[in-house]
Amino acid sequence: AELLYGRRSFAGRAVQTVYPSSYEDQISIFDFNMRPGASTFARPDCAKNESECDRGTNPGRTYRFYEDDAVVEFGFGLSYTTFDYAFHAAPAAVDLAPLRARLGSGPFLKMVEDAPAAEYVVNVTNTGSVDADDAVLGFVVPPGAGKDGVALKELFGFERVF
């Protein structure tokens, strides 16, 4: 009841992308490709024999690859207050050579033991009238985003602040 009457504020975030209803007509349920592009499967809205149907076009899946407008985006959150975000410190560029060198020994990095490739500091200010916490999400747009299978954006970090 405290959430409904505004005495406490929401601080959760959507954990998945919610697609518009037209999404299910664009791509077959059998097409598991994450990246956008032509599908080898027939469009689901075709009532003919599958061999006579047009092939679907995959608009991408998840926040990383979906190219159209989502109904609810991954990371969307509700609150009874507002927040202001300002970068306090951020690198101008990130050198990926040390990470690539460590990947040479295997496909996974031991992130607990490894130093971060970059550090970002964000000042979060509650600009509303209700005390609340917030889940701050950090996204990065990689070089070549949206081309040759590279994601449109990547979640690189998150932290709940009070």
Side-chain angles (χ1 to χ4, degrees):
E2 290 195 352
L3 287 173
L4 293 176
Y5 292 110
R7 292 189 289 264
R8 284 192 51 218
S9 186
F10 299 91
R13 298 287 184 160
V15 297
Q16 67 185 39
T17 302
V18 177
Y19 306 103
S21 60
S22 61
Y23 182 84
E24 63 190 43
D25 291 336
Q26 294 175 335
I27 189 70
S28 170
I29 194 168
F30 300 112
D31 187 338
F32 291 101
N33 196 355
M34 298 286 284
R35 291 165 176 80
S39 176
T40 58
F41 296 93
R43 287 181 55 97
D45 57 354
C46 179
K48 303 177 203 168
N49 184 321
E50 182 180 335
S51 63
E52 301 172 21
C53 294
D54 291 334
R55 303 293 103 173
T57 301
N58 187 340
R61 297 185 194 270
T62 78
Y63 77 93
R64 296 175 62 226
F65 298 103
Y66 186 60
E67 296 178 325
D68 295 337
D69 293 328
V71 175
V72 178
E73 291 186 18
F74 169 81
F76 175 78
L78 295 174
S79 181
Y80 288 126
T81 192
T82 55
F83 293 93
D84 183 48
Y85 307 94
F87 277 110
H88 179 69
V94 177
D95 183 12
L96 298 179
L99 292 175
R100 287 189 183 110
R102 288 189 294 203
L103 279 173
S105 62
F108 302 105
L109 294 175
K110 297 177 183 136
M111 298 307 286
V112 174
E113 299 172 14
D114 291 334
E119 187 172 336
Y120 294 82
V121 179
V122 180
N123 291 333
V124 181
T125 306
N126 183 341
T127 57
S129 59
V130 177
D131 286 340
D133 57 327
D134 189 26
V136 180
L137 306 178
F139 292 95
V140 64
V141 176
K147 296 181 182 90
D148 299 324
V150 177
L152 298 170
K153 63 181 177 180
E154 297 272 354
L155 176 69
F156 71 85
F158 59 92
E159 188 168 335
R160 181 170 299 282
V161 294
F162 300 92

